[in-house]
Amino acid sequence: PSDSLQIIGYSDLLEELMNKPMYGKKLPAIKVEATVSDYKATQKRTIDLSKKTKNTILIFHTEGCPNCKKEMTAAREVIKTIQNWKDLGISKKEAKSIKIVDINIDQIIAKYPSIATALFDKFDLSTLPFILTTNEDGLIDHKYFSLTQAQE
């Protein structure tokens, strides 16, 4: 009986985490300090996750995490590829629409604890890196995504 209750509790927890945030929904309105990379530049700035995040790869990571470092290296390769959009045979408009938003959870926790709490409430940050993508409508279309596996 107690094993059954543990399994049910674990199942409920997994369901809750999988629904943070939901597929097909917009990102929550949280303003967060991030590094944003696109076809022409990489810059650190504060962004509202619910706005201007169409065709976006969001990477939540921590410092010192080996898997996070691998994913960030892969993200830089994606950006280099996008920056050479002419060689890809895609239009400038397509290249301009793709961006990567890199959110360092360690820095957010240290500088903005209330924002960190909001992020943990809205996203499954139980295991990092946590990567998700949005489509051209700004809706979540992939979660638990790996850029390193995508390149293999």
Side-chain angles (χ1 to χ4, degrees):
S2 66
D3 288 347
S4 296
L5 292 176
Q6 288 176 338
I7 290 171
I8 291 170
Y10 183 66
S11 174
D12 290 344
L13 174 64
L14 286 178
E15 183 177 355
E16 179 187 339
L17 293 175
M18 290 295 291
N19 288 327
K20 287 180 163 185
M22 298 280 288
Y23 287 102
K25 299 287 184 184
K26 285 195 164 282
L27 293 169
I30 301 173
K31 289 185 180 178
V32 64
E33 188 176 281
T35 301
V36 180
S37 303
D38 61 21
Y39 82 107
K40 65 179 177 180
T42 296
Q43 55 183 286
K44 196 167 195 112
R45 64 180 192 230
T46 300
I47 64 164
D48 182 336
L49 296 178
S50 66
K51 299 177 181 170
K52 298 185 181 180
T53 49
K54 295 178 180 181
N55 293 323
T56 300
I57 301 170
L58 269 81
I59 305 172
F60 296 88
H61 66 93
T62 61
E63 297 169 13
C65 160
N67 288 334
C68 297
K69 286 182 183 180
K70 289 178 188 174
E71 294 293 345
M72 295 307 297
T73 299
R76 284 189 287 279
E77 289 302 315
V78 168
I79 287 301
K80 283 182 193 173
T81 301
I82 293 167
Q83 288 170 342
N84 295 319
W85 59 271
K86 290 178 186 174
D87 298 336
L88 290 175
I90 64 174
S91 70
K92 185 175 183 180
K93 181 180 178 181
E94 289 171 306
K96 285 174 71 172
S97 73
I98 301 167
K99 66 182 146 299
I100 295 179
V101 175
D102 150 17
I103 301 171
N104 184 322
I105 294 299
D106 292 332
Q107 290 177 1
I108 300 298
I109 290 171
K111 289 181 172 179
Y112 312 103
S114 62
I115 293 173
T117 299
L119 290 172
F120 277 94
D121 186 49
K122 297 294 184 184
F123 295 94
D124 175 10
L125 302 179
S126 60
T127 303
L128 297 175
F130 175 63
I131 302 173
L132 63 82
T133 64
T134 61
N135 62 21
E136 62 275 356
D137 297 319
L139 305 177
I140 297 165
D141 59 355
H142 294 94
K143 295 192 304 186
Y144 307 104
F145 186 78
S146 171
L147 294 170
T148 58
Q149 291 176 356
Q151 291 179 341
E152 292 174 355

